[in-house]
Amino acid sequence: MLSPERHRHHRHPPPPQPPPPPHHPPQPSHVVATIENLPAEGGSGGGRSGISAPSSSVRQRIRKVLNRDLLLSVALGQSFLNYILLFLVYTTTLAVRQGEENLLAILKRRWWKYMILGIIDIEANYLVVKAYQYTTLTSVQLLDCFVIPVVILLSWFFLLVRYKAVHFIGIVVCILGMGCMAGADVLVGRQQGAGENKLIGDLLVLGGATLYGISNVCEEYIVRNLSRVEFLGMIGLFGSFFSGIQLAIMEHKELLKVPWDWQIGLLYVGFSACMFGLYSFMPVVIKKTSATAVNLSLLTADLYSLFCGLFLFHYKFSGLYLLSFFTILVGLVLYSSTSTYVAQDPRVYKQFRNPSGPVVDLPATGQLEPSFEASVRTSKGSAL
């Protein structure tokens, strides 16, 4: 902020100036910085060799990119390029198709439904990234697990999926493993980021997790009943359009403050490429398993980033991290040990189905994961 002295207009000779206030070093950002404890560039005493100096320079560049004012302040900018890539690959694929799978034919039948889904996906990404400006890493990790009960409830009521006792046991074990990892973060001092508006950050995480759950369940329904390319093409179309508008309105000034160079650009492109890969392959896994199983598996994502940080950024290690990892794996094994089933024919939920297209009969009770294809073949045989 500008000092009040910058706004004073002296009509008389100014009085003697008071001594300048003592210089205070800039306060560390209250935002979670995943590499907050990196050593200063060059090390103490300038004793770094020529081999390690470039590595230190890269680390300091990554530190700057992950700073609140460079990355977290452009939450929409992080996902915009990903939507552009989805548009270029999958939306253009739909545009060159013929018949009922053509882009215009899909838009004519259900454009507003995909528009709502695209906005939900945009805001889910935005809210979770924005939450890092207000709350702690530990809070984000724990509250982000709220997506799991959201997916279970929506799958139960809208996809008519029914779970067995072993599924709930596996889910509880996975969440316990996530809690173990959050506890390890506290013990090793990685719970940075407690700001003055922690409640706001926690609410943002819960809102983002809820929107993620809605998006994932809709994604499961679409990839099972329509196609993966249609889902990704529509997300790319509406995601790039609305995120671009929101970015221009809300974050254009922050985006201009980024000191762009080839290193920062490369990090942004690399992040967007990873997001594009996640969006491209996640529907494949969801179709073979379920949205619930995928979200349980994604609980290990923070652990993989931690393991990379141990080697790249010298994070402190705790044995609780390994305990957390294996606890989550045990929960996944328990959850995947038996299949869920459908309570009744889900044809009553036709929000995205083509009214003029064929209706595929699904069995009243049958396996959904992991042998969903077998149930579809069985239903087709019964229809014939």
Side-chain angles (χ1 to χ4, degrees):
M1 292 178 59
L2 294 176
S3 173
E5 284 76 9
R6 298 286 299 274
H7 299 286
R8 293 177 183 171
H9 300 278
H10 298 285
R11 300 180 183 272
H12 304 283
Q17 296 294 326
H23 175 71
H24 296 284
Q27 297 297 322
S29 172
H30 66 270
V31 182
V32 177
T34 56
I35 51 175
E36 186 67 26
N37 297 321
L38 287 180
E41 183 172 0
S44 60
R48 288 191 179 268
S49 64
I51 296 178
S52 61
S55 174
S56 176
S57 177
V58 171
R59 291 176 185 174
Q60 295 302 316
R61 174 62 64 180
I62 296 176
R63 177 199 289 274
K64 294 177 182 178
V65 173
L66 293 181
N67 182 269
R68 172 185 60 184
D69 297 326
L70 297 185
L71 184 61
L72 293 176
S73 60
V74 287
L76 292 167
Q78 296 185 49
S79 56
F80 176 68
L81 183 56
N82 171 53
Y83 291 125
I84 292 294
L85 293 175
L86 292 174
F87 175 85
L88 293 176
V89 175
Y90 296 104
T91 309
T92 54
T93 300
L94 293 176
V96 299
R97 285 183 172 181
Q98 303 296 325
E100 294 297 319
E101 295 184 349
N102 180 263
L103 176 63
L104 295 178
I106 295 172
L107 290 174
K108 183 179 179 181
R109 294 192 299 270
R110 42 185 176 265
W111 64 271
W112 64 272
K113 301 167 185 176
Y114 281 119
M115 180 185 70
I116 295 175
L117 183 57
I119 294 175
I120 288 174
D121 192 79
I122 293 170
E123 301 308 323
N125 291 321
Y126 175 75
L127 291 179
V128 172
V129 175
K130 199 71 175 177
Y132 281 93
Q133 297 188 23
Y134 302 101
T135 190
T136 63
L137 172 64
T138 303
S139 294
V140 173
Q141 290 173 337
L142 291 177
L143 295 177
D144 196 43
C145 296
F146 186 68
V147 67
I148 295 174
V150 171
V151 170
I152 292 174
L153 289 176
L154 293 177
S155 299
W156 183 284
F157 288 107
F158 293 97
L159 300 182
L160 304 179
V161 178
R162 296 297 180 260
Y163 302 92
K164 301 175 183 178
V166 66
H167 294 124
F168 292 107
I169 295 175
I171 291 170
V172 171
V173 172
C174 287
I175 295 178
L176 288 176
M178 195 65 190
C180 182
M181 184 182 69
D185 285 339
V186 174
L187 291 177
V188 301
R190 291 188 67 232
Q191 74 279 13
Q192 307 101 325
E196 298 178 356
N197 299 309
K198 189 173 183 295
L199 177 61
I200 296 178
D202 293 344
L203 293 177
L204 290 176
V205 178
L206 292 175
T210 302
L211 295 180
Y212 271 134
I214 297 173
S215 176
N216 290 163
V217 173
C218 292
E219 179 178 356
E220 179 178 354
Y221 182 87
I222 295 170
V223 298
R224 289 187 185 279
N225 294 278
L226 295 170
S227 74
R228 163 180 167 269
V229 175
E230 178 174 332
F231 169 78
L232 294 175
M234 293 295 101
I235 289 294
L237 175 63
F238 291 104
S240 58
F241 179 75
F242 287 106
S243 66
I245 293 176
Q246 191 173 351
L247 175 64
I249 295 174
M250 299 178 60
E251 296 182 352
H252 64 281
K253 294 182 180 179
E254 288 78 6
L255 199 62
L256 294 176
K257 294 179 183 178
V258 178
W260 293 101
D261 57 22
W262 70 269
Q263 290 176 318
I264 293 180
L266 186 62
L267 289 171
Y268 268 101
V269 171
F271 173 81
S272 299
C274 292
M275 289 295 295
F276 175 78
L278 176 65
Y279 270 70
S280 297
F281 290 106
M282 189 170 175
V284 178
V285 183
I286 286 181
K287 185 174 181 178
K288 291 183 177 297
T289 57
S290 69
T292 305
V294 169
N295 279 282
L296 290 174
S297 301
L298 288 177
L299 293 179
T300 60
D302 292 323
L303 287 166
Y304 291 127
S305 64
L306 168 70
F307 294 150
C308 293
L310 291 173
F311 297 98
L312 295 176
F313 308 121
H314 307 293
Y315 283 168
K316 295 180 180 178
F317 179 76
S318 170
L320 288 177
Y321 287 126
L322 289 179
L323 177 62
S324 172
F325 181 75
F326 288 110
T327 301
I328 295 176
L329 290 183
V330 170
L332 287 173
V333 171
L334 287 174
Y335 182 87
S336 304
S337 62
T338 185
S339 299
T340 58
Y341 63 95
V342 179
Q344 56 182 327
D345 190 346
R347 289 179 298 174
V348 293
Y349 302 101
K350 300 177 181 179
Q351 288 88 344
F352 286 89
R353 192 185 300 281
N354 178 14
S356 61
V359 176
V360 178
D361 291 331
L362 293 178
T365 58
Q367 292 181 344
L368 275 181
E369 49 181 80
S371 56
F372 178 79
E373 292 81 358
S375 65
V376 172
R377 287 196 298 268
T378 303
S379 62
K380 288 183 178 179
S382 62
L384 294 175

